[in-house]
Amino acid sequence: MEAQLKNIKIEKSKTTKINEVDFDNLAFGSVYSDHMLVCDYKNGAWETPEIMPYQPITLDPAAKIFHYGQSIFEGMKAYKDSSGATWLFRPKNNHKRLNISARRLAIPEIPEEIFMEGLTTLLRLEKDWIPSNPGSSLYIRPFILASGNGFHASPADEYKFIICCAPSGAYFSGKVKVLIEEKYSRSANGGVGYAKAGGNYAGQFYPTQLAVKKGYNQVIWTDDNTHEYIEEAGAMNIFIRINDTLITGPTSDRILDGITRKSILEIAEDEGIQTEVRKITVTEVVRAAKSGALKEMFGAGTAAVVSPISTFGHKGVDYDLPELQDNFASLLKKRITDIQYNRAEDKFGWRYKV
């Protein structure tokens, strides 16, 4: 039996923005629902969460989020099935990972009952904001920031846990062209690469802008030491298919333990697809591309689910991937999304009814 919160305070919005939203043309994460959840950490404890109308938050200029970057987040989605029921996908994994990030950034961990009951209470209130269009969902952004004040370089004494929601369409449209990074690094051994820390993503923007100027959509990140090992694709985990084997790198200090990543590995095994979790070198990928053994590359993450890569660039040369009819990316994406939208059996126990 899960612990239950008492007396979540709910202040309903007097108006709604929902009638102003074009649900047939939703950009990703740019329209926000009517309510949000806020829970403060003060005097050494998390207080009772409150649900209130979506609104700006007020912080002192000395709040430590502005100076020392204590900020972590998660990405989740709520799905509506054909009968109108609401589902989450492996939400307790998101709670667990948020706390892994919290520990690494010296942020107090959020109790499961606050995360889960606060989330489900918010989603029941916002159920009309969950799109029913194919491929659409309600993107959910839980995050924690340091709200306590002080210029001293130390952890804050106060924090805010917030959940906001954004009805969203598909994250990417079409395949992407990527550049294998040879200079900049996303993360390093002993660092915070495995945490969903805001600063990780801030550090990605500049190298990605440089790649975009060269005609690419995203960067393939390599290891910080030799730039010889493939690690992540933009803000996603990466999968590489050589012949009929699906390969992804092992999680580490540098690589995020993606929930979509681990789901793909389990579904691939269920489909009889041979998988390998191991280090893979840029040299191996280039050699496979030249020989024709490289069949697919795709990113995997909550927002896009699976994002196929059409071309990768390395040392001034572009390598196009073949367009396969029976590709792993489409199969795996369909298996995952059929579970998420309650269109298929969930033999893994991943679906969570709100």
Side-chain angles (χ1 to χ4, degrees):
M1 185 74 178
E2 294 182 13
Q4 296 293 303
L5 290 175
K6 303 297 180 186
N7 304 317
I8 294 182
K9 181 182 176 184
I10 300 177
E11 179 192 349
K12 290 189 177 180
S13 177
K14 292 181 173 61
T15 59
T16 180
K17 302 169 291 191
I18 199 166
N19 297 322
E20 303 167 13
V21 178
D22 181 359
F23 281 89
D24 293 324
N25 294 285
L26 287 169
F28 179 81
S30 59
V31 176
Y32 312 104
S33 67
D34 288 328
H35 299 88
M36 65 184 192
L37 178 136
V38 179
C39 184
D40 287 307
Y41 180 91
K42 295 180 179 178
N43 302 314
W46 288 103
E47 298 180 342
T48 301
E50 300 181 21
I51 292 174
M52 61 185 69
Y54 184 91
Q55 60 191 273
I57 58 174
T58 301
L59 293 172
D60 192 287
K64 291 199 173 185
I65 176 59
F66 300 132
H67 307 281
Y68 304 112
Q70 277 185 293
S71 171
I72 56 174
F73 70 95
E74 277 296 318
M76 311 172 65
K77 289 179 179 178
Y79 310 87
K80 187 175 283 184
D81 69 17
S82 58
S83 65
T86 299
W87 302 89
L88 292 166
F89 184 72
R90 308 187 77 170
K92 293 188 179 181
N93 282 258
N94 291 98
H95 169 255
K96 179 181 178 182
R97 190 172 62 184
L98 187 68
N99 280 341
I100 289 171
S101 299
R103 285 195 292 275
R104 182 62 183 84
L105 271 77
I107 293 171
E109 295 180 36
I110 195 84
E112 184 178 296
E113 62 269 21
I114 290 179
F115 186 95
M116 290 301 301
E117 193 168 339
L119 173 61
T120 53
T121 302
L122 177 64
L123 290 177
R124 288 177 190 131
L125 188 63
E126 302 291 72
K127 63 182 184 298
D128 291 341
W129 281 89
I130 305 172
S132 54
N133 303 34
S136 297
S137 57
L138 186 69
Y139 186 79
I140 304 163
R141 174 52 60 87
F143 60 103
I144 304 175
L145 60 90
S147 54
N149 300 338
F151 292 148
H152 186 266
S154 61
D157 58 357
E158 294 184 359
Y159 297 85
K160 283 186 179 292
F161 169 59
I162 300 173
I163 304 178
C164 299
C165 303
S168 297
Y171 188 68
F172 287 118
S173 57
K175 293 188 176 183
V176 294
K177 183 179 179 181
V178 299
L179 177 66
I180 294 178
E181 182 57 53
E182 299 177 68
K183 177 181 178 181
Y184 296 98
S185 299
R186 177 188 170 273
S187 57
N189 286 330
V192 296
Y194 68 92
K196 283 190 75 72
N200 288 348
Y201 297 81
Q204 293 185 31
F205 295 155
Y206 176 65
T208 302
Q209 285 178 338
L210 295 179
V212 169
K213 287 178 182 178
K214 294 177 181 178
Y216 299 90
N217 305 107
Q218 263 299 351
V219 166
I220 295 289
W221 299 104
T222 50
D223 69 288
D224 62 303
N225 187 25
T226 65
H227 292 289
E228 179 59 19
Y229 293 95
I230 299 282
E231 297 211 323
E232 291 198 352
M236 298 179 287
N237 294 119
I238 187 168
F239 283 84
I240 297 166
R241 176 184 173 184
I242 295 180
N243 292 318
D244 288 328
T245 300
L246 194 61
I247 307 163
T248 193
T251 55
S252 66
D253 285 352
R254 303 184 308 276
I255 298 178
L256 185 73
D257 185 12
I259 294 165
T260 305
R261 172 190 176 276
K262 64 179 68 179
S263 303
I264 283 175
L265 287 170
E266 290 188 58
I267 289 174
E269 183 180 348
D270 188 61
E271 288 283 347
I273 296 170
Q274 182 176 341
T275 62
E276 292 180 3
V277 178
R278 63 170 175 84
K279 290 184 176 182
I280 181 166
T281 65
V282 176
T283 301
E284 182 181 357
V285 172
V286 170
R287 188 186 302 125
K290 289 178 176 178
S291 72
L294 181 65
K295 305 300 184 185
E296 294 180 73
M297 295 172 67
F298 56 86
T302 297
V305 186
V306 170
S307 182
I309 293 167
S310 61
T311 303
F312 75 87
H314 181 246
K315 293 189 182 299
V317 180
D318 283 348
Y319 299 88
D320 294 326
L321 280 85
E323 293 191 17
L324 304 178
Q325 288 294 108
D326 299 321
N327 59 76
F328 290 171
S330 297
L331 170 66
L332 295 166
K333 183 173 184 175
K334 185 177 189 305
R335 281 288 308 269
I336 289 179
T337 54
D338 280 352
I339 292 171
Q340 291 170 336
Y341 287 93
N342 194 28
R343 296 190 294 249
E345 176 194 1
D346 176 18
K347 63 170 67 176
F348 306 99
W350 293 337
R351 208 160 40 218
Y352 185 97
K353 192 169 188 179
V354 175

